[in-house]
Amino acid sequence: DRWSGGAIAEDRFNLHTDKMPDLGFKVRLRGGSATADGAKEDGISCSTEKVGSLTVSTFNMWCPLFRRIPSNATGAKAPEGVTSRESLYPELYMKRQEAIIQMLLRLNSDIICLQEFWVGSEEMVSMYREKLDERYQWQQLNRSGARGDGLVTLLRHSISIRDRRDILMHDMSDRVALLLRLHIPVTLSATQSGAELLLVNTHLVFAHQPYFSIIRMRELRQILSFLELYRQTRHKDCPVMLCGDFNGPPHGFQFNHLRKLHFTASCEDKTKWITHKNHLGRTLCCDYIFVLNP
């Protein structure tokens, strides 16, 4: 089913596991391992323990349609400063995608949320599914407006999908969110009957202009409004996990808004973690996993 946000008014990290709320099972978030000064932050670890724990990763794939590369890096003769899109050079993006696939296989997380996946490329989708289908279920949501990219959520086959809802923002950047109601098996939840979880994968708008932060907040409120509506109508008072590229810093409006709503974040607001290098060449933290316990 699809839901329109307008219907209601309104690159990787690890987790401080000791600050997670009690979900009835232990959640471990895994990803990159770099800070702004290259140091390892105390209290953060990347556990390989699998019994009774759920491992979750989230990544912005940097879609080749949008990734800017210097034209002279492609072997073409071009003036300094001239850029091209990576999608024009299969020999470049295929090599990068193969490295990403190997990283995903190496991480071996139970749940992987991907943003800016090139869903418009049948070659790309086939390449990933050929390597990952044996291990994961594939849930895909194309971005509206024929943008070419979208969201992909990968789930270990032992995890059951009880329900799916597509959230369409219908805003200027055609943002979407993918909601899945999941049943986590006993082997991952360390409970006698397993546990349910509401999982959201999303990618909020980039701040091309200062006022875009207002648009980003509106997108977040649309997601939260639908989550509340879903929980009330379906009587599902289970934990919520928000994953994705929020395109905002840890001290930003969206981060602080979720913390005020009692979401636990995958990092502190003064974190030194780098999760992202954007198209302007800036390194920053803007990819998160938020958890809310009922």
Side-chain angles (χ1 to χ4, degrees):
D1 290 349
R2 292 176 177 263
W3 177 82
S4 169
I8 292 184
E10 275 278 42
D11 68 276
R12 349 359 174 203
F13 52 84
N14 301 31
L15 171 74
H16 292 278
T17 54
D18 58 330
K19 298 189 178 181
M20 286 296 293
D22 181 12
L23 304 179
F25 57 95
K26 184 183 295 182
V27 177
R28 296 179 183 271
L29 311 182
R30 308 196 304 176
S33 55
T35 62
D37 56 7
K40 179 179 176 65
E41 194 167 323
D42 291 340
I44 299 180
S45 62
C46 185
S47 173
T48 57
E49 178 186 352
K50 294 299 294 180
V51 179
S53 66
L54 181 74
T55 54
V56 180
S57 297
T58 183
F59 299 94
N60 182 311
M61 305 289 287
W62 207 351
C63 181
L65 288 171
F66 312 133
R67 187 184 180 213
R68 298 176 176 90
I69 57 175
S71 292
N72 52 20
T74 67
K77 294 182 180 180
E80 191 69 25
V82 175
T83 61
S84 299
R85 300 295 173 145
E86 188 188 34
S87 57
L88 299 175
Y89 305 95
E91 67 279 8
L92 294 181
Y93 68 72
M94 291 301 287
K95 181 179 180 180
R96 184 168 68 92
Q97 299 305 317
E98 182 59 44
I100 293 174
I101 290 174
Q102 293 307 314
M103 179 191 65
L104 297 179
L105 290 172
R106 187 169 61 251
L107 279 176
N108 195 32
S109 297
D110 301 308
I111 297 174
I112 301 174
C113 294
L114 305 176
Q115 304 87 42
E116 267 195 42
F117 190 95
W118 192 3
V119 295
S121 169
E122 294 183 6
E123 178 187 33
M124 190 75 68
V125 173
S126 297
M127 176 184 180
Y128 272 78
R129 298 205 62 166
E130 180 180 346
K131 300 291 180 63
L132 299 175
D133 273 1
E134 183 176 352
R135 188 176 301 182
Y136 294 109
Q137 305 172 65
W138 181 280
Q139 292 292 312
Q140 174 181 315
L141 175 58
N142 296 8
R143 192 167 155 204
S144 57
R147 297 278 185 156
D149 69 313
L151 306 170
V152 171
T153 301
L154 302 173
L155 307 164
R156 197 171 294 281
H157 287 293
S158 58
I159 297 174
S160 301
I161 301 174
R162 296 289 176 83
D163 196 10
R164 167 176 168 157
R165 292 290 184 270
D166 300 341
I167 305 174
L168 310 181
M169 309 291 184
H170 293 303
D171 61 2
M172 62 184 298
S173 57
D174 295 311
R175 297 296 169 176
V176 297
L178 175 58
L179 167 67
L180 298 173
R181 179 162 61 90
L182 306 176
H183 181 263
I184 310 299
V186 174
T187 53
L188 297 178
S189 66
T191 61
Q192 293 184 350
S193 58
E196 283 205 341
L197 174 70
L198 291 179
L199 174 72
V200 177
N201 181 7
T202 193
H203 182 192
L204 304 185
V205 67
F206 180 79
H208 294 283
Q209 299 292 338
Y211 67 85
F212 274 41
S213 180
I214 299 174
I215 300 173
R216 195 160 59 241
M217 179 62 82
R218 185 170 62 197
E219 292 171 348
L220 177 60
R221 283 176 173 165
Q222 288 175 350
I223 294 172
L224 294 174
S225 294
F226 179 72
L227 274 171
E228 183 61 25
L229 178 65
Y230 184 88
R231 292 173 74 177
Q232 289 183 11
T233 57
R234 298 283 171 164
H235 306 290
K236 291 297 178 183
D237 200 19
C238 54
V240 174
M241 182 177 289
L242 300 178
C243 303
D245 179 358
F246 288 77
N247 265 321
H251 56 271
F253 294 119
Q254 294 76 36
F255 189 97
N256 289 331
H257 183 64
L258 287 169
R259 293 303 300 268
K260 288 178 181 178
L261 294 176
H262 306 296
F263 279 86
T264 298
S266 53
C267 64
E268 302 293 338
D269 57 0
K270 296 181 180 179
T271 184
K272 295 181 179 179
W273 284 100
I274 294 172
T275 71
H276 203 101
K277 182 176 181 180
N278 65 24
H279 64 279
L280 300 176
R282 298 170 184 164
T283 55
L284 63 158
C285 178
C286 65
D287 304 85
Y288 311 105
I289 296 178
F290 294 94
V291 175
L292 178 65
N293 204 38

